[in-house]
Amino acid sequence: MGAALLHSNAGAFERAIAEAMTDKLPVPIRQIMDPATTPSEFLPFLAAHRSVDLWFEDWSQDRKRAIVADWPKLASLVGTRAAPPRFLAYVDAELIDALSHPHRPLTGRYPIGRVLLGHPAFRAIYLVKTATVGPRSGYCAGRHPVGRRPSRAADFRPVKRALEALRQAKAPETEILVDFANYRPLTAGDAIPAGSAVRAGQYLSRNRLGRT
């Protein structure tokens, strides 16, 4: 539109400036800035533009688009008790239980491990469930009573990613302690009914911090 207003003897530089001042840009800005429609090669740049701090290159395209779209809400939750489960969900982990300060006033009876007397401010303790996966190949080390057994190191990337998710979810001033022990041995205190399928020596899922 601007070039049409130029005099017929306008030079190349003047015409270039006029063309550059048009309101119509040859770039699909609306498409690029939308996490649902931006080309996959633009996703890392859009994530950086939105200051997405939880990001792994081997995530699926759907997960990357989801966290870019969800990040404004996630960022608004940082430092609150609602943040850890939301952040952990993106790394396939689950928050089972949490203890943090401040806590409700201590009245009545509390199970062992739940009393927060003396619990320091700005500290949170989490019980997190995630999976560790053994690699498909391994090397043989030592001998086994029934022969040689491959000794494989567990893949702790899920644990490391859960820790990173919790770091991003917490306030900078908060110290976090994370417990990944999701099972505990059966004890006499569990009072398993007679005839139950649960037997001595088995392990039970933990659903809270402390002994239970």
Side-chain angles (χ1 to χ4, degrees), residues 66-87:
I67 198 167
V68 172
D70 198 26
W71 193 256
K73 177 62 177 177
L74 291 175
S76 71
L77 296 175
V78 168
T80 70
R81 292 178 179 175
R86 291 284 297 272
F87 278 73

Side-chain angles (χ1 to χ4, degrees), residues 84-85 88-89 91-97 127-130 162 180 182:
L88 286 170
V91 293
D92 299 317
E94 180 184 0
L95 181 65
I96 304 299
D97 193 20
L127 176 61
V128 175
K129 184 177 182 180
T130 187
F180 290 99
N182 299 134

